[in-house]
Amino acid sequence: MSVSLFVGCGKKVVEDKGAPATIKINGVEIEAKEALARIVMIEMGEGYNVEAVKAQTVVIYTFLKYCATNFEIDGVLISETYNDEVKSAVDAVFGQYLAVKDVVALTPYFA
């Protein structure tokens, strides 16, 4: 299931064929889906609609891809845990990113 929040005017959700297996956060390599779930959890907490969690996941993934970090980031707070709802939402959209005219979109966000 893809997130359909960014359509029209050359904007689209794209499946990343080269999605990473791991993301390095603050020098620690973490399985990629777990890393995204832990970032989403610290930013949003519990109780959000699953579609909001999916959207946040896509925005985070897009931002990491746009910044050309090779999925290595420092200075980021992550949660020690995450719940099943966050894990399911991340699983549903993992590897999806936003593009404008086939170029990774800039998705600055604040959570």
Side-chain angles (χ1 to χ4, degrees):
M1 176 176 174
S2 68
V3 176
S4 58
L5 59 113
F6 198 71
V7 294
C9 300
K11 303 168 190 153
K12 61 184 173 182
V13 177
V14 179
E15 290 284 337
D16 189 354
K17 303 282 189 250
T22 61
I23 296 175
K24 188 179 259 186
I25 300 176
N26 303 325
V28 177
E29 205 157 318
I30 302 170
E31 190 273 326
K33 289 180 183 179
E34 177 185 344
L36 288 171
R38 290 170 67 180
I39 293 170
V40 168
M41 192 68 181
I42 197 130
E43 290 179 349
M44 297 184 75
E46 295 184 30
Y48 282 90
N49 180 288
V50 67
E51 295 303 316
V53 178
K54 288 178 185 178
Q56 186 73 3
T57 303
V58 171
V59 168
I60 292 166
Y61 188 91
T62 304
F63 189 73
L64 292 173
K65 189 166 181 67
Y66 177 87
C67 290
T69 63
N70 290 323
F71 294 93
E72 294 183 20
I73 52 175
D74 291 312
V76 175
L77 295 176
I78 61 173
S79 176
E80 290 298 317
T81 62
Y82 52 89
N83 61 31
D84 290 338
E85 290 80 17
V86 168
K87 174 76 167 88
S88 293
V90 170
D91 286 346
V93 297
F94 178 73
Q96 294 181 13
Y97 65 93
L98 303 174
V100 178
K101 297 182 181 176
D102 297 322
V103 175
V104 179
L106 172 60
T107 56
Y109 64 96
F110 182 78

